[in-house]
Amino acid sequence: MIIAADILKNYNIGFRIAASIFLKLKSENIITQKKVRELVYDGYEDTIIKFAPLFKKGLPFKNGRFSWLYGKNATDDGLFTVFTGVDDQSQTNMINNLNGQDKLNFWKGDSCNMINGTSIEVGPPLPKNPESYTFYQTIFCRSLTFDYTGDETHFGIPAKRFKPPKDIFANGSDNSANSCFDLVEGRPSGVLDVRPCQFDAPVLLSFPHFHMADPSYRKKVHGLNPNDKDHGSHLDVEPVTGVSVDIQVRFQLNLQMSRVRVVLRLSNIEDDDDPLIDVKEEHKENLSKKVIVPNYDSSGSYEKSLSYFILRKSILFSERLCWIRLTTDLDYD
C-alpha cells in the first residue's frame, strides 16, 4: 500500500479518485498480517503488486506476489571480479568490477558510485597500524568504510576490529563526502535513501533503532532504545591472512510514509519514516577445532621455531557459502 501511495502521488486527481475506489473494492489496507516467511522471502498475493507493473516498469515481483526480499533467497550478490594479489599482495580480493561494471550508476557523484574495497569475507593482509577497512555491500548499494577501534582475540588468534563511524550515514552538511548520496535536501543524518537502487521504492536504510542517527527519527516511535551492544556493527580481521573471523552487520529497513490526498486509505497518514524490520547478518565461527595457532612470545611476535600455520575456515555470510583454505608461510631468519 505504501509503495502504491508513492506511485499515486505523481498522478492527477482523477486517476487518484479511480485508484481510491479500486483499493476500497479490493479491501486493501495499510496494515496486513502475514507470516514472517511470506513477508521476507516467499511473498504473498497482493492486488496492488499485480497491477503495479502497468504503471511502473521494471519491478522485480512476479505473479502478483510481494515480499521485501522477493527472489533473493538462495541467490548471490552478483558476479564480482577481484584481484588475486599475486603481483601485489595489498590488492588481494579487492574488487575490480561488479557484473562487468567498474562503477555504479545510482548516485549523483563519481565518488559515491565507486566500487571500493573487498567483498568483506577476505581481504589483503593488514598493515601494522590500520586506520580503516573498506568493503562493498550490495544491500546498501555502496561501499562502506569502518574505522579501526582496537584489537580483539578469537581462540588465541589476534584480530583487528573495525566499526562504522558515527557520520557514515550523515547528510552532506554533516559529512561533505556523503553529499552525492543526498536525495532530499535537509534530511536529518543517520539514514541512507536507497530509492535509486530499489526500483524507486520509498525505502530508507539505517542501523537498528536508528542507532547513531539524528534523534528526530525516534520521536514518533515508542520502544526504541539504540545502543552499540545490541544495534552496532563490527568486523574483526585476522591481520596476517586478511580473513574476517567475526562479521556483524546490522541494519534496519524503514518506510517513507507519504500522504496522498483524495485516496481514502492514504489521505490521513502522516509523512514520516517508520521502522519496518531490522536485520542482523553475522558470522562468528568456533575456530577452536579448526585452527593450528602459532605460539606467541611475550612481545607478541610469532616464535621463530614455528614456520607456518594453516587456517581453515568456512564462511557463511549474506547467504553465500564459501570454503576458503589459506596457507601462510611465516618465514623468519
Side-chain angles (χ1 to χ4, degrees):
M1 177 69 82
I2 303 304
I3 295 176
D6 195 68
I7 296 174
L8 289 173
K9 68 183 181 182
N10 298 317
Y11 284 84
N12 60 46
I13 189 170
F15 187 90
R16 280 180 276 162
I17 291 174
S20 178
I21 296 172
F22 175 78
L23 293 174
K24 185 176 181 180
L25 290 174
K26 292 295 183 178
S27 301
E28 290 288 340
N29 294 301
I30 295 177
I31 298 175
T32 184
Q33 284 187 323
K34 300 294 178 182
K35 295 179 180 179
V36 172
R37 189 174 184 88
E38 291 176 318
L39 288 171
V40 179
Y41 286 119
D42 290 352
Y44 58 91
E45 290 188 3
D46 185 276
T47 303
I48 295 174
I49 293 300
K50 185 177 294 185
F51 290 95
L54 297 176
F55 308 100
K56 198 172 190 64
K57 303 298 183 182
L59 292 176
F61 310 109
K62 298 178 181 179
N63 304 318
R65 299 183 70 83
F66 170 82
S67 72
W68 288 108
L69 297 177
Y70 189 82
K72 296 291 186 180
N73 201 10
T75 61
D76 55 42
D77 288 338
L79 179 62
F80 288 86
T81 302
V82 302
F83 292 101
T84 62
V86 171
D87 297 322
D88 183 357
Q89 201 174 27
S90 68
Q91 292 296 303
T92 303
N93 207 44
M94 300 293 281
I95 299 172
N96 182 39
N97 65 69
L98 172 60
N99 295 324
Q101 303 296 318
D102 59 3
K103 63 180 180 179
L104 308 172
N105 59 4
F106 304 132
W107 311 109
K108 295 185 295 183
D110 290 339
S111 61
C112 291
N113 280 313
M114 295 176 67
I115 306 174
N116 295 325
T118 73
S119 57
I120 202 172
E121 296 96 342
V122 181
L126 298 179
K128 184 177 181 180
N129 298 305
E131 295 182 357
S132 61
Y133 191 97
T134 300
F135 57 95
Y136 180 79
Q137 275 285 278
T138 304
I139 190 68
F140 291 98
C141 309
R142 57 168 288 190
S143 291
L144 301 173
T145 297
F146 284 13
D147 290 343
Y148 170 70
T149 59
D151 293 347
E152 299 290 331
T153 302
H154 297 273
F155 297 98
I157 300 174
K160 302 291 184 181
R161 172 158 290 188
F162 301 88
K163 301 178 72 172
K166 189 172 183 179
D167 63 353
I168 192 169
F169 295 141
N171 59 34
S173 298
D174 294 336
N175 180 0
S176 59
N178 283 346
S179 59
C180 46
F181 291 118
D182 285 349
L183 301 183
V184 177
E185 187 175 352
R187 184 189 297 280
S189 292
V191 300
L192 176 68
D193 192 336
V194 293
R195 181 186 293 266
C197 63
Q198 296 298 332
F199 306 96
D200 209 32
V203 176
L204 301 172
L205 292 182
S206 68
F207 293 119
H209 288 226
F210 293 114
H211 178 49
M212 298 197 300
D214 190 275
S216 61
Y217 289 107
R218 299 190 291 272
K219 286 184 177 180
K220 296 182 180 180
V221 184
H222 298 289
L224 299 184
N225 181 30
N227 62 85
D228 194 65
K229 178 182 177 182
D230 297 323
H231 309 122
S233 298
H234 69 256
L235 169 67
D236 292 355
V237 181
E238 198 286 314
V240 177
T241 62
V243 172
S244 300
V245 295
D246 185 5
I247 303 170
Q248 292 196 32
V249 177
R250 299 177 171 105
F251 63 90
Q252 177 174 285
L253 190 68
N254 309 284
L255 278 181
Q256 301 177 64
M257 307 285 282
S258 299
R259 176 180 298 175
V260 183
R261 300 189 183 281
V262 180
V263 180
L264 295 178
R265 285 171 169 75
L266 302 171
S267 60
N268 294 321
I269 64 175
E270 295 185 20
D271 291 346
D272 204 2
D273 303 319
D274 292 342
L276 182 67
I277 57 174
D278 63 73
V279 179
K280 180 180 180 182
E281 294 186 287
E282 66 175 345
H283 170 75
K284 184 176 182 179
E285 190 166 350
N286 186 339
L287 300 175
S288 61
K289 298 180 180 179
K290 298 188 177 184
V291 181
I292 302 174
V293 186
N295 295 323
Y296 291 85
D297 60 24
S298 59
S299 66
S301 62
Y302 293 108
E303 287 188 350
K304 296 180 180 180
S305 60
L306 189 59
S307 61
Y308 70 92
F309 75 93
I310 300 175
L311 174 61
R312 291 177 180 169
K313 180 176 182 294
S314 62
I315 295 179
L316 178 61
F317 184 73
S318 299
E319 299 176 5
R320 292 170 291 177
L321 183 62
C322 306
W323 286 99
I324 299 175
R325 290 187 176 90
L326 298 175
T327 302
T328 302
D329 289 329
L330 304 179
D331 190 9
Y332 296 93
D333 295 330

